[in-house]
Amino acid sequence: MVHAMSPIITETNEELVSQPLIESSGIICRPFWEEDDDLEGHAYHDYIERHPNFTLAVRSSVLERLLQVCHAIPSDWQLILKAGYRPLSVQQAVVDSFVKTTHTRNPEWTDDE
């Protein structure tokens, strides 16, 4: 069983496992928000400014499944984790960003499209 470094109980009553423990289990973490040109990463910026201790995290059961994947993939492959738990405000910002980008790239599309 995987144990979180600093347990945070989510809506599912599961501990969140933070980036240092994820990385110590052999998974590479490259959060979206660390990349300048990533649309999803931009959605995190406001949240991270208000919550400077925010870190990439996943539910403990998710980490266990990711570790199963690591053992199942070819030995010369590595799993890179870009995101995990998203606060609701970040999830909404991600959706809003993709909608805006889609409308910008396809101005002739209707809202239904």
Side-chain angles (χ1 to χ4, degrees):
M1 174 175 227
V2 176
H3 295 284
M5 286 183 63
S6 53
I8 302 171
I9 305 301
T10 66
E11 298 82 12
T12 60
N13 290 327
E14 241 185 293
E15 291 181 335
L16 287 178
V17 181
S18 64
Q19 185 170 338
L21 188 56
I22 296 168
E23 290 176 326
S24 73
S25 68
I27 297 173
I28 299 168
C29 294
R30 299 287 185 268
F32 284 119
W33 56 86
E34 291 180 355
E35 297 182 23
D36 294 333
D37 61 348
D38 190 277
L39 287 175
E40 187 165 340
H42 288 287
Y44 284 89
H45 288 241
D46 289 342
Y47 187 86
I48 291 171
E49 282 184 19
R50 292 188 318 272
H51 303 90
N53 294 326
F54 180 77
T55 182
L56 190 147
V58 296
R59 294 188 326 264
S60 58
S61 65
V62 171
L63 179 56
E64 290 190 21
R65 287 189 296 256
L66 290 171
L67 292 173
Q68 290 173 357
V69 169
C70 287
H71 295 300
I73 61 177
S75 61
D76 58 336
W77 289 17
Q78 288 187 299
L79 186 64
I80 299 175
L81 189 60
K82 303 290 286 176
Y85 169 78
R86 287 187 186 120
L88 183 57
S89 63
V90 173
Q91 183 64 29
Q92 186 62 55
V94 168
V95 171
D96 293 346
S97 174
F98 283 115
V99 168
K100 182 179 177 182
T101 300
T102 300
H103 281 295
T104 300
R105 291 180 181 166
N106 306 283
E108 72 282 1
W109 287 9
T110 66
D111 286 343
D112 288 340
E113 291 173 306

